[in-house]
Amino acid sequence: MDELKQLQKDVTKAIDQYEAKRRNEALAAIEATAKEHGFSVAELTGSVSARKGKQPLPPKYAHPENPSLTWSGRGRQPAWIKEGLESGKSMNDYLIK
């Protein structure tokens, strides 16, 4: 049974790698065609790739003792926020003023 489970993992990994390779090849072909016509893919689709053009949000919250630790207020809460909330602090205590 252990060998079958390992084989299943290996097959799943191989399929994922194959699909990623095909996706990257398709993307490269699309980008090459767009470039031949003097455009970028983002210009043609009217969007900006999340990896290339998305700017990080400015920080909204900061750690009171270590101001280099910041958080925009979006996504997963940092551990220092969770710990502070559990100890009775409020989100207003962390706001950058």
Side-chain angles (χ1 to χ4, degrees):
M1 187 61 145
D2 290 338
E3 289 179 35
L4 289 173
K5 287 183 180 181
Q6 184 60 44
L7 183 59
Q8 182 180 25
K9 287 179 187 177
D10 293 344
V11 168
T12 301
K13 183 179 177 182
I15 290 171
D16 291 343
Q17 289 174 342
Y18 177 77
E19 289 175 346
K21 180 181 173 187
R22 295 272 323 260
R23 186 173 26 260
N24 289 337
E25 289 171 352
L27 182 58
I30 291 169
E31 288 174 345
T33 302
K35 188 175 181 179
E36 284 177 17
H37 290 84
F39 296 100
S40 71
V41 174
E43 289 174 323
L44 295 174
T45 60
S47 65
V48 177
S49 172
R51 285 178 271 144
K52 294 180 183 175
K54 197 170 189 180
Q55 297 296 320
L57 293 171
K60 186 174 179 181
Y61 302 98
H63 190 284
E65 297 166 10
N66 184 354
S68 67
L69 296 175
T70 60
W71 181 49
S72 69
R74 293 205 181 158
R76 184 181 285 178
Q77 286 182 339
W80 53 269
I81 291 271
K82 287 181 183 180
E83 292 169 2
L85 293 175
E86 289 172 2
S87 69
K89 292 188 176 186
S90 74
M91 291 300 290
N92 289 337
D93 295 331
Y94 297 106
L95 276 174
I96 297 175
K97 297 171 179 133

